[in-house]
Amino acid sequence: MANGIDYLMSVTEHLTAADPPAPRDLKYAVLHLQGAVEVLLKVRLLREHWTFVFPDLDHAKTTRDAFDSGDFKSCTTETAVSRLKKIAGVEIGERPARALSRLTKSRNALQHFGLTASAPQIEANAAEVLDFLLDFLHTQLLPSLPAAEAGSTWTDLNTVRERLATIKSFLAKRHQQIRAELAPLLHATVECPLCGQWAMSVGVEEPTCRFCLVTWDDIGHLVMNYLGTFDRPGLEEARCPECGEQDLILNARVAAHPDRASALCFSCTAVLEHPVECSSCEELYERSADDFGLCPDCLQQRIDRF
């Protein structure tokens, strides 16, 4: 576990070295944060059973000799999260799970293409992952440590918490800078798939996250990433009854009311609070009390027949 704590110390050191952090600091913050995640999650898995850190529990190479010698490839972060939830009964919420997934994607992109994420994007996601890891350490790992080891660990974690407070102050400053710009757009502002902040305003030709400054030159690409990032029941795309584009997101959430789902078109920003399927043409429309299960066009056609 000491390696995981050391990685956390390094992450917060790199992210607080300057404002904004230098590209080299951002690079090592991503790499070391991913290292911390992998080490600490797997320490908890090992407390269940040593086999749980292997990718395939039934594979011929899943042996005690391989484990003792360290001659094996361990499971992915996604698999570790799944096993912690399903086997160890560890609660990992939707938001930290997304942050962990974004971190893995950032690390993979960094290794293949170099640093592509902005400083605000990395800082925002790092803050969420660090929050999760500190809570994870407190509830899952620290209670069983020997007293001597726990003392030195608490000292290091206090340093991590202090530096995390500095990172959060950077983020708060950034949110303050964009607050006025976002205020009139909250009805069409969703969580950014890359930084997780409520700062992606849709309905323009090239949507840009005002927090991490990533720009999407293709709305279809943004829709695909949004659907792939926020794995909620009923989250899917459909044809918008207003503009006709296949960019209506069912069960989307917007900054104006983040706890209530609605259908939002990423192209024209049309909002359907109660979308239903027309019993005649099977297209979606906004339900009303006297529509007889028909969209406005189909209802008008029925009226015209009489």
Side-chain angles (χ1 to χ4, degrees):
M1 192 173 76
N3 281 341
I5 303 297
D6 188 50
Y7 276 134
L8 291 183
M9 293 282 283
S10 175
V11 170
T12 55
E13 181 179 356
H14 282 296
L15 289 182
T16 56
D19 181 18
R24 185 176 184 276
D25 285 317
L26 292 172
K27 178 178 73 171
Y28 283 106
V30 171
L31 294 175
H32 292 177
L33 186 55
Q34 181 66 24
V37 167
E38 293 181 358
V39 169
L40 297 175
L41 295 188
K42 290 167 189 176
V43 167
R44 179 61 180 85
L45 278 179
L46 286 174
R47 293 185 179 177
E48 296 295 316
H49 198 270
W50 61 267
T51 57
F52 291 151
V53 298
F54 282 77
D56 187 345
L57 303 185
D58 297 322
H59 195 276
K61 292 184 179 180
T62 305
T63 66
R64 185 72 200 202
D65 286 343
F67 175 77
D68 289 339
S69 66
D71 185 21
F72 67 96
K73 181 180 180 181
S74 62
C75 65
T76 64
T77 299
E78 182 180 9
T79 299
V81 168
S82 177
R83 289 176 181 172
L84 285 171
K85 293 167 68 175
K86 295 178 181 178
I87 298 174
V90 177
E91 291 188 11
I92 301 177
E94 178 187 344
R95 191 170 182 89
R98 288 201 306 265
L100 292 170
S101 177
R102 285 194 299 267
L103 174 62
T104 299
K105 292 177 182 177
S106 295
R107 190 277 310 270
N108 292 343
L110 174 59
Q111 290 182 325
H112 290 93
F113 308 110
L115 188 67
T116 58
S118 66
Q121 179 182 324
I122 292 174
E123 289 175 299
N125 202 55
E128 289 200 47
V129 174
L130 287 167
D131 266 335
F132 163 74
L133 288 179
L134 287 172
D135 182 67
F136 183 81
L137 279 158
H138 179 72
T139 60
Q140 300 296 325
L141 300 180
L142 294 182
S144 59
L145 282 184
E149 185 178 351
S152 61
T153 299
W154 274 110
T155 299
D156 289 341
L157 290 183
N158 284 336
T159 300
V160 171
R161 290 188 184 94
E162 290 172 2
R163 292 173 180 169
L164 177 57
T166 300
I167 296 168
K168 287 184 175 180
S169 72
F170 294 161
L171 301 180
K173 179 181 177 182
R174 178 71 184 143
H175 276 294
Q176 183 64 36
Q177 290 171 340
I178 65 175
R179 182 172 298 169
E181 186 180 359
L182 282 174
L185 307 171
L186 296 182
H187 66 288
T189 297
V190 299
E191 290 174 277
C192 173
L194 296 186
C195 71
Q197 304 300 297
W198 292 93
M200 174 66 71
S201 297
V202 300
V204 294
E205 186 175 349
E206 291 188 349
T208 299
C209 174
R210 287 163 170 79
F211 187 90
C212 71
L213 304 179
V214 64
T215 297
W216 304 83
D217 55 8
D218 181 90
I219 293 178
H221 191 204
L222 170 58
V223 167
M224 180 182 68
N225 275 267
Y226 185 85
L227 294 175
T229 299
F230 303 103
D231 185 18
R232 292 191 294 266
L235 188 66
E236 57 183 285
E237 62 180 323
R239 194 179 78 86
C240 175
E242 297 295 327
C243 68
E245 297 294 334
Q246 192 74 13
D247 296 327
L248 182 72
I249 306 301
L250 305 180
N251 203 32
R253 298 183 187 275
V254 298
H257 42 80
D259 297 325
R260 188 176 81 236
S262 57
L264 171 69
C265 179
F266 278 27
S267 284
C268 71
T269 71
V271 175
L272 278 68
E273 296 292 348
H274 305 288
V276 293
E277 188 176 275
C278 175
S279 60
S280 179
C281 69
E282 299 183 349
E283 294 288 345
L284 292 176
Y285 71 100
E286 182 72 86
R287 185 175 185 177
S288 63
D290 54 355
D291 57 29
F292 302 101
L294 299 171
C295 69
D297 288 342
C298 291
L299 180 60
Q300 188 60 49
Q301 290 177 13
R302 294 288 180 90
I303 293 174
D304 292 343
R305 289 178 187 174
F306 298 99

